[in-house]
Amino acid sequence: MGSSWDWEVFLRDPGGADPTYWQWMLSCWGWTVSVSLLALVLALVVGTLVGILRTLPDKPWAVRLGTFWVEGFRNIPLLVQIFIWYHVIPALVPAMKSLSSFVLVVLALGFFTSARIAEQVRSGIQTLPRGQRYAGMAMGFTTFQYYRYVLLPMAFRIIIPPLTSEAMNIFKNSSVAFAVSVTELTWFAIQVGEETSRPIEIYMGVTALYVISAFAINRIMAFIEKRTRIPGLVAASGGGH
Amino acid sequence: MLHLDFSFYKWDVISNFILKGIGFSITLTFVSTVGGVIFGTLLALMRLSGNKLLIAPATFYVNGMRSVPLVMVILWFFLLVPFLIGRPIGAEVSAYVTFIAFEAAYFSEIMRAGIQSISRGQVNAGMAVGMTYGQNMRLVVLPQAFRNMLPVLLTQTIVLFQDTSLVYAIGAYDMLKGFETAGKNYGRPIEAYLLAAVVYFVICFALAYSVKRLHKKIAIIR
């Protein structure tokens, strides 16, 4: 195996828009990063809203809606959800026919992950002592205000370790986009591995980029965790991985 | 407006296309859970052994597997296993090998947490009655760790069942592929994907509900 490496495959010309395979690979990395970051933003926004819904007092229908959302998105495999977004929804909703597979994958991955983030936001809010909520009410805050100023800032800082895992998962899960031909890293590995007949070298390059991405997110999240640590909590000693 | 038509899902379509796929998805889930727990426990024991020569490779393996997308791991094994053993193997066999190897990394973290949750006194008691390290692990620590972690292990198994759909990347014939093939053959892909989603949902939701029940039951006994 060792005698037959051919790393120069990365210097060859694929005959497309990019002059060499390594430059093409980097542009595919760009698609992986774009899909992941956009989906992460969507997942954080929707996940937070749904998580809040599930903790609202005296709003059984909001809670049920939140539960429905979480169970639905969590119990169907991501690949199936991507196919639903790609094949089914544009057929049912004509307005979505013009959307590119990139947008559809961002929606699929974002909503899929929002269910998981919603669970974490919910548990983060529910871990807080009830006194925090009551203190907010006693101050005369409206529900919106005590969530905004009291509960959410605390809850978010508590759930940073699981959010780190989620951010890393989103990067890994973006690989499923290959199935609807988004030109991200895994698509590149399959396509170019075949095209060049040097799959081992190509897979190694792609795998290295995934590992670098995972490590980078881990470091960024560790930095955020350190900067937002709540003084005086046991959790201040850190956690997660 | 679109007309959904599920009428082509007659018994022979289900038995010809879908049951075969469901069978594979379930067998793959079962085999890789069992294999993953066995190898995962070994990895966890290596990481807790205190011996650097065992800790380093196990940690490298677990962290390496966990930082790469499963689809890439599936592609790697599909490429490398035939290369290493010198003859082609089918997508199905390759899927078994991949999932056992991949899930071992995830199960090992669960088992490690489980072992670490057993109180020191249990280990000391075992040592006091003259048990060797192996006996202590096999008879005292692991059964308790396994039992404490059962709900988490089962939850991971549900995730594993969903992840088996990713064998799509190497063209293995699993449940999703079964629905897809039936849909293509009868020109009804939309219904096929919808039905696949419903079936996955029903299976996973039912399993998750049972795990929740089990969790409550175990929590009361302890």
Side-chain angles (χ1 to χ4, degrees), chain A residues 17-201:
Chain A
D18 296 284
T20 57
Y21 277 114
W22 73 266
Q23 278 159 307
W24 191 12
M25 181 168 74
L26 289 188
S27 94
C28 291
W29 192 19
W31 285 105
T32 288
V33 174
S34 320
V35 168
S36 310
L37 289 184
L38 286 173
L40 183 61
V41 171
L42 180 64
L44 278 173
V45 172
V46 179
T48 305
L49 289 174
V50 176
I52 293 172
L53 275 190
R54 299 191 72 189
T55 62
L56 286 179
D58 313 319
K59 294 265 191 313
W61 279 105
V63 176
R64 256 169 241 155
L65 183 69
T67 311
F68 182 75
W69 182 274
V70 169
E71 295 299 342
F73 281 104
R74 163 164 94 169
N75 286 314
I76 298 172
L78 176 59
L79 182 59
V80 177
Q81 294 192 29
I82 285 188
F83 283 145
I84 298 269
W85 281 95
Y86 189 73
H87 294 289
V88 179
I89 293 183
L92 295 176
V93 186
M96 297 192 68
K97 270 204 180 102
S98 57
L99 294 180
S100 66
S101 40
F102 172 79
V103 177
L104 294 170
V105 162
V106 167
L107 291 172
L109 187 56
F111 283 140
F112 173 79
T113 313
S114 79
R116 307 170 56 104
I117 290 184
E119 274 301 87
Q120 283 152 14
V121 170
R122 177 180 72 108
S123 72
I125 294 173
Q126 286 176 343
T127 337
L128 297 174
R130 254 173 302 174
Q132 300 248 346
R133 189 187 288 265
Y134 297 152
M137 288 169 162
M139 298 276 289
F141 281 166
T142 62
T143 308
F144 176 79
Q145 282 174 323
Y146 70 71
Y147 268 95
R148 163 76 185 78
Y149 295 111
V150 182
L151 298 183
L152 287 179
M154 290 290 280
F156 266 115
R157 293 195 281 183
I158 291 172
I159 62 167
I160 285 180
L163 282 185
T164 306
S165 312
E166 236 26 86
M168 291 168 78
N169 278 341
I170 253 190
F171 251 85
K172 289 190 278 171
N173 285 338
S174 71
S175 63
V176 178
F178 84 88
V180 290
S181 302
V182 173
T183 56
E184 46 72 63
L185 278 177
T186 300
W187 176 89
F188 177 86
I190 297 173
Q191 180 79 16
V192 175
E194 212 164 281
E195 185 178 310
T196 58
S197 303
R198 308 296 318 180
I200 294 185
E201 288 84 351

Side-chain angles (χ1 to χ4, degrees), chain B:
Chain B
M1 193 54 208
L2 191 92
H3 293 285
L4 290 176
D5 177 13
F6 289 94
S7 61
F8 74 95
Y9 278 106
K10 304 229 167 49
W11 172 246
D12 61 317
V13 175
I14 294 175
S15 66
N16 284 342
F17 294 103
I18 294 163
L19 283 187
K20 182 186 159 204
I22 291 184
F24 177 69
S25 290
I26 291 176
T27 323
L28 178 58
T29 307
F30 182 77
V31 169
S32 38
T33 303
V34 174
V37 168
I38 293 172
F39 286 107
T41 307
L42 288 176
L43 283 168
L45 288 175
M46 283 169 76
R47 292 189 72 179
L48 295 169
S49 64
N51 181 341
K52 269 198 192 114
L53 286 175
L54 294 177
I55 296 175
T59 310
F60 179 77
Y61 180 84
V62 170
N63 289 342
M65 279 293 185
R66 286 160 58 92
S67 55
V68 179
L70 176 53
V71 180
M72 278 309 295
V73 182
I74 292 175
L75 291 172
W76 267 116
F77 275 78
F78 190 54
L79 175 77
L80 281 184
V81 174
F83 188 78
L84 292 176
I85 63 172
R87 62 188 177 83
I89 54 167
E92 271 82 6
V93 179
S94 171
Y96 284 115
V97 179
T98 314
F99 272 82
I100 292 175
F102 184 80
E103 294 300 328
Y106 281 79
F107 282 123
S108 96
E109 286 298 90
I110 298 172
M111 285 311 289
R112 189 160 69 102
I115 295 169
Q116 284 175 328
S117 73
I118 306 299
S119 79
R120 262 273 30 113
Q122 296 279 332
V123 182
N124 292 343
M127 281 156 77
V129 295
M131 282 186 181
T132 63
Y133 175 82
Q135 287 173 323
N136 214 339
M137 274 296 162
R138 189 163 53 86
L139 300 170
V140 181
V141 178
L142 285 181
Q144 296 188 71
F146 192 76
R147 189 186 164 158
N148 287 353
M149 285 294 127
L150 197 56
V152 190
L153 287 171
L154 291 174
T155 306
Q156 176 64 28
T157 302
I158 300 174
V159 175
L160 167 55
F161 175 66
Q162 294 192 16
D163 283 347
T164 57
S165 61
L166 297 178
V167 296
Y168 183 88
I170 53 172
Y173 199 98
D174 74 322
M175 184 166 126
L176 176 59
K177 186 84 174 181
F179 277 107
E180 202 184 33
T181 313
K184 279 207 177 107
N185 283 6
Y186 289 83
R188 289 271 163 206
I190 293 176
E191 287 84 346
Y193 289 122
L194 278 177
L195 209 62
V198 171
V199 173
Y200 271 109
F201 176 82
V202 169
I203 296 177
C204 296
F205 187 79
L207 288 175
Y209 182 77
S210 326
V211 172
K212 220 170 167 181
R213 292 273 303 263
L214 179 82
H215 190 52
K216 274 189 189 138
K217 219 168 163 184
I218 288 185
I220 293 167
I221 296 171
R222 283 180 68 229

